Amino acid sequence: TIDLTETSLITDSVKVIDLFGKIIQNENLNSGNKKFQLSIRNFPTGIYFVKVFDEGLPVWTQKIIKQ
């Protein structure tokens, strides 16, 4: 779960991007939605980056390693 409730961000989307830059998942969030649950259960083994966008600009990135 990505929890942004304690931020002033107007989060508009969350993207999961693979190591090659391909967007694997793109979720547009409703205005005011500060929590997002992400499942990588069905993703192949690999390295992914979760990016949170605010008004179209990336504001947070987290690397995830799926084994």
Side-chain angles (χ1 to χ4, degrees):
T1 300
I2 298 170
D3 185 355
L4 302 168
T5 53
E6 303 210 10
T7 69
S8 62
L9 298 175
I10 305 170
T11 306
D12 55 17
S13 68
V14 176
K15 295 180 183 181
V16 180
I17 301 166
D18 71 9
L19 199 55
F20 302 103
K22 180 179 176 187
I23 297 173
I24 305 299
Q25 186 173 349
N26 183 18
E27 297 291 332
N28 292 317
L29 304 178
N30 295 333
S31 180
N33 188 0
K34 296 283 189 166
K35 286 189 180 184
F36 174 75
Q37 193 159 21
L38 174 69
S39 174
I40 60 168
R41 181 179 307 206
N42 296 324
F43 289 8
T45 299
I47 298 173
Y48 300 93
F49 297 93
V50 178
K51 290 191 173 194
V52 174
F53 289 80
D54 180 41
E55 297 182 352
L57 299 172
V59 293
W60 182 81
T61 302
Q62 178 69 46
K63 180 170 77 172
I64 296 175
I65 300 173
K66 167 98 187 271
Q67 298 181 352

